[in-house]
Amino acid sequence: MAYASGVQLSGLAGIVGAAVGGYIGYSQAADVSNLTPIAGALILGGVGLVAGSAGAFLLKSAMQFIIYIIMFGVLVYVFQTPITNMTGINPVAATLEFLGDMGLPVKTATEKLVTGSN
């Protein structure tokens, strides 16, 4: 069910993309190539339809993935002491150290977010 939840959004974005592409194709077809305005509108309208709906679908999927990462991060942050007791590794400190090794400036966040640090 969650997979099909953004069908209306993708369809609306496709229609908007088709309208914008059709307008650009209609107004620029004669200037750019030897196409008739109707042919340019149909070609760029089709491209706008596909690009708009695919872009909305991918953006919706990316945002769902980011929301799951945030929820997982909150869960790990709240239960970092029990996880540390079970595994011997503080998950927040390990994540922040990994991000710091990748070049992100997280040194001050490490001091503030890691509970029970020595």
Side-chain angles (χ1 to χ4, degrees):
M1 250 350 215
Y3 179 77
S5 66
V7 172
Q8 292 85 7
L9 176 66
S10 295
L12 179 63
I15 291 170
V16 170
V20 171
Y23 173 74
I24 292 171
Y26 185 82
S27 64
Q28 299 295 318
D31 296 338
V32 176
S33 64
N34 292 331
L35 292 174
T36 64
I38 299 296
L42 289 174
I43 292 170
L44 286 182
V47 170
L49 174 74
V50 172
S53 61
F57 177 76
L58 291 175
L59 182 62
K60 180 187 75 74
S61 298
M63 290 307 297
Q64 285 177 341
F65 182 70
I66 290 170
I67 288 169
Y68 280 118
I69 288 175
I70 290 170
M71 289 189 314
F72 184 70
V74 167
L75 187 66
V76 167
Y77 179 74
V78 169
F79 293 109
Q80 67 179 303
T81 303
I83 293 171
T84 302
N85 293 338
M86 286 190 297
T87 63
I89 299 170
N90 188 320
V92 177
T95 302
L96 291 172
E97 185 174 336
F98 173 73
L99 293 173
D101 290 343
M102 290 177 55
L104 296 173
V106 293
K107 194 167 287 271
T108 58
T110 304
E111 298 165 359
K112 294 178 184 176
L113 292 177
V114 177
T115 60
S117 61
N118 296 331

